[in-house]
């Protein structure tokens, strides 16, 4: 009778096992890469591992009975073993499947387009990107993008309508065969404005149609043939907004009509520079901030009375100051000067009031004035994106967490397909210590924009507060890969050696953390380094770091009772927050 080792060789048990393990490793590697891009839930990974383990045992059973040459019959013992393994595997998948703690699919703070009431959908209008039909498509792309945003802004001034923000709308610039009904469903709108631009020499043709996406009927359409120039473009934008109001039977106030019909500049050159600057600014990335800034500066040089160009110039400085493209002490005073000039020229400019509110919020730390200007911007234009985003952050800074969550949901109503706005909404839930809902919101943001670097970072923060450390480290690795911020394997090694404290200590030494005193302060506080955290907060205070309006962050909870932390809050004139 052959020995056990000889029987193992005959049945090729080792070869079967090695081949299976190689395949399982490949499956796990591929799923890790794909899952990190699409925000797969942790339960899916755990279930996959259980299935692969059970599969290994099943492969060994099959090898034992069928591994040697010749034909073996399927026996009752083999069937019984396989059935038992599959039953155990099914039970194990069911047991480990739900995340712990289980994250609700539709928690009260998790907003989706489906959350919109039928009444809300009725008054929503999507202004879709204009098709560029010009012969010189590349040369005129700035014109088409800028004109689209100008039309959207004009229509958004109509209080009876809710108009999604540009970030969500631009997802349909390349529609890839999607119909208007499908697009309307994704945006949560009843009506859509579709159109095109064709420029030929000194002539321009803008064609638009207003469509009821539910009934597939056209409510209004118009083609505008004009000689290219600032006056003609302003006339087209204004008339489109007025005709939409008429077609949808929305009554305009005198103030709304006046604002819509107000021209910006008589200078064709200044307006083209402004549209170029607007096109750059809307790309919302560091090099484009600087490009937009230079173009807006040139626009106000050509026409010093062009209020929207001054507001755009101020906005670029706010962006560069908030994102540390420029030092805050250099950026924000210039922003204030440009924005005050815009308001002097046009006191009804919502964007200028919103940008000045950000100056008082991020740099001056004058919370009452920031709130006043923010509310004024929302009065002038309830759809002003920057004002609505600030509204959420301002409320959490004031310790009004439940209101901040609602304001965060409003931000998503305006921009339902924007990864950055899921960040804002998720942050409000995170500040409110509603971590499960925050995680679900960040995850939804990942499905909308898998390339957003900040979303996995915020997911890591929330996972850490729930004690889900392996999940937190995995998200930190995703952020490192997306932003090319460091070595994900080195982070994993730090976690293996020192647990979550080792991982955050490693992150603390990255360039992205070392570049911001406020970030260092939060990480030191999370790690229990009280002295280092307070020292970094003092540096942040001197540098006017925007982390200072995030002192309600749970990462600071470990030092919240320290008298020096309380003293810093008093210096910032922050109200005492009743934390959730």
């Amino acid at each position: 009778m052959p020995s056990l080792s000889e029987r193992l060789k005959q049945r090729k048990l080792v070869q079967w096992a090695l081949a299976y393990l190689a395949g399982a490793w490949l499956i796990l590697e591929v799923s890790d890469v794909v899952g990190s891009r699409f925000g797969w839930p942790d339960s899916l990974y755990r279930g996959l591992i259980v299935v692969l383990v059970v599969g290994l045992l099943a492969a060994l059973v099959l090898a034992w009975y069928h591994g040697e040459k010749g034909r073996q019959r399927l026996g009752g013992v083999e069937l019984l073993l396989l059935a038992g393994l599959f039953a155990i595997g099914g039970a194990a998948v069911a047991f480990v499947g739900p995340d712990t703690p289980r994250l609700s699919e539709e928690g009260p703070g998790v907003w989706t387009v489906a959350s919109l009431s039928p009444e809300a959908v009725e008054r929503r209008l999507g202004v879709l990107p204009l098709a560029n039909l010009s012969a010189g498509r590349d040369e005129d792309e700035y014109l088409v993008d800028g004109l689209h945003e100008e039309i959207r802004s004009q229509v958004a001034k109509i209080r009876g309508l809710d108009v999604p923000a540009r970030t969500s709308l631009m997802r349909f610039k390349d529609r890839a065969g999607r119909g208007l009904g499908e697009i309307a469903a994704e945006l949560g709108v009843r009506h859509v404005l579709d159109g095109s631009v064709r420029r030929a020499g000194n002539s321009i043709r803008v064609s638009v149609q207003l469509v009821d996406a539910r009934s597939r009927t056209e409510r209004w359409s118009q083609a505008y043939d004009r000689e290219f120039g600032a006056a003609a473009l302003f006339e087209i934008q204004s008339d489109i907004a007025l005709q939409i109001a008429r077609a949808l039977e929305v009554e305009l106030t005198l103030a709304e009509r006046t604002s819509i019909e107000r021209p910006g500049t008589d200078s064709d050159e200044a307006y083209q520079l402004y549209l170029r600057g607007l096109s750059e600014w809307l790309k919302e990335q560091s090099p484009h901030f600087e490009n937009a800034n230079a173009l807006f500066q040139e626009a106000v040089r050509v026409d010093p009375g062009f209020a929207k160009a001054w507001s755009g110039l101020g906005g670029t400085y706010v962006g560069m100051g908030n994102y540390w493209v420029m030092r805050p002490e250099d950026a924000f005073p210039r922003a204030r000067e440009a924005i005050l000039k815009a308001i002097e020229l046009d006191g009804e400019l919502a964007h200028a009031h919103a940008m000045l509110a950000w100056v008082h919020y991020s740099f001056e730390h004058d919370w009452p004035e920031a709130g006043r200007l923010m509310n004024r911007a929302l009065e002038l234009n309830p759809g002003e994106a920057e004002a609505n985003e600030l509204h959420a952050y301002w409320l959490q800074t004031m310790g009004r967490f439940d209101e901040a969550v609602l304001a965060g949901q409003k931000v998503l109503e305006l921009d339902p397909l924007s990864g950055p706005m899921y960040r804002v909404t998720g942050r409000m839930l995170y500040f409110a210590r509603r971590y499960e809902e925050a995680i679900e919101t960040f995850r939804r943001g990942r499905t909308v924009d898998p390339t957003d670097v900040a979303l996995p970072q915020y997911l890591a923060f929330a996972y850490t507060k729930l004690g889900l450390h392996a999940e937190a480290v995995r998200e930190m690795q995703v952020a490192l890969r997306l932003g090319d911020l460091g070595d994900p394997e080195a982070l994993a090694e730090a976690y293996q050696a020192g647990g979550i404290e080792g991982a955050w200590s490693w992150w603390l030494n990255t360039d992205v953390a070392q570049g911001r005193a406020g970030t260092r302060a939060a990480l030191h506080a999370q790690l229990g380094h009280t002295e280092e955290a307070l020292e970094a907060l003092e540096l942040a205070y001197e540098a006017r770091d925007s982390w200072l309006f995030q002192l309600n962050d749970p990462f600071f909870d470990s030092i919240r009772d320290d008298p020096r932390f309380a003293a810093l809050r008093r210096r910032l004139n922050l109200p005492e927050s009743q934390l959730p």
Side-chain angles (χ1 to χ4, degrees), residues 192-460:
V192 292
L193 183 73
D194 199 14
S196 62
V197 176
R198 185 189 301 275
R199 184 181 178 188
N202 204 36
S203 299
I204 187 168
R205 180 184 179 89
V206 179
S207 300
V208 289
Q209 58 175 341
L210 178 65
V211 178
D212 183 331
R214 184 179 301 164
S215 64
R216 306 292 198 276
T217 57
E218 184 180 286
R219 299 293 298 269
W220 165 78
S221 64
Q222 182 71 48
Y224 299 89
D225 291 292
R226 299 287 189 275
E227 185 176 339
F228 183 78
L233 293 178
F234 281 124
E235 178 194 337
I236 292 170
Q237 297 160 26
S238 300
D239 193 64
I240 289 173
L242 296 174
Q243 294 297 337
I244 287 173
R246 184 175 295 112
L248 298 180
E249 300 178 351
V250 178
E251 189 172 344
L252 295 175
T253 66
L254 178 59
E256 287 171 320
R257 180 178 289 275
T258 302
S259 178
I260 289 170
E261 293 179 335
R262 183 181 294 116
T265 178
D266 295 328
S267 169
D268 294 348
E269 182 184 0
Y271 194 55
Q272 286 197 64
L273 287 164
Y274 169 77
L275 290 177
R276 289 182 184 277
L278 183 61
S279 178
E280 288 290 308
W281 164 250
L282 293 170
K283 294 171 184 173
E284 295 183 340
Q285 294 174 347
S286 174
H288 300 292
F289 284 158
E290 294 159 293
N291 295 341
N293 182 276
L295 288 161
F296 287 140
Q297 286 197 53
E298 188 64 16
V300 298
R301 184 195 64 79
V302 173
D303 182 3
F306 191 3
K308 292 179 76 170
W310 281 109
S311 183
L313 178 60
T316 61
Y317 281 123
V318 169
M320 289 192 286
N322 270 335
Y323 291 100
W324 281 67
V325 179
M326 289 179 67
R327 295 196 313 170
E329 58 265 39
D330 295 329
F332 283 105
R334 299 181 189 182
R336 186 197 307 112
E337 182 181 355
I339 296 165
L340 287 174
K341 180 66 175 177
I343 293 175
E344 176 189 332
L345 292 166
D346 183 356
E348 306 295 304
L349 204 54
H351 180 266
H353 285 82
M355 290 296 99
L356 189 56
W358 273 106
V359 172
H360 284 279
Y361 181 70
S362 296
F363 186 70
E364 304 288 352
H365 303 141
D366 184 344
W367 320 113
E369 184 63 7
R372 185 190 70 80
L373 289 162
M374 170 190 74
N375 287 326
R376 178 59 177 151
L378 292 173
E379 287 174 10
L380 292 168
N381 184 351
E384 176 61 46
E386 287 84 358
N388 278 282
E389 181 180 352
L390 176 58
H391 188 211
Y393 275 109
W394 185 86
L395 285 167
Q396 75 78 18
T397 303
M398 297 298 101
R400 294 157 59 178
F401 299 105
D402 290 340
E403 292 175 79
V405 168
L406 293 175
Q409 292 174 347
K410 175 64 176 177
V411 165
L412 269 186
E413 285 183 27
L414 289 169
D415 216 349
L417 302 178
S418 166
M421 293 306 103
Y422 273 93
R423 269 193 261 142
V424 174
T425 307
R427 289 289 279 167
M428 297 309 109
L429 291 160
Y430 170 76
F431 283 123
R433 277 65 175 173
R434 291 159 62 171
Y435 300 123
E436 292 92 345
E437 294 166 81
I439 287 170
E440 186 59 36
T441 301
F442 291 140
R443 283 175 171 175
R444 290 181 186 277
R446 286 272 293 279
T447 63
V448 168
D449 186 359
T451 66
D452 191 298
V453 178
L455 281 167
Q457 293 183 55
Y458 291 147
L459 265 169

Side-chain angles (χ1 to χ4, degrees), residues 153 167 172 234 241 252 302 364 377 477-478 491 534:
S153 297
T167 309
F172 305 106
F234 281 124
L252 295 175
V302 173
E364 304 288 352
Q477 290 180 296
V478 172
L491 171 64
L534 291 167

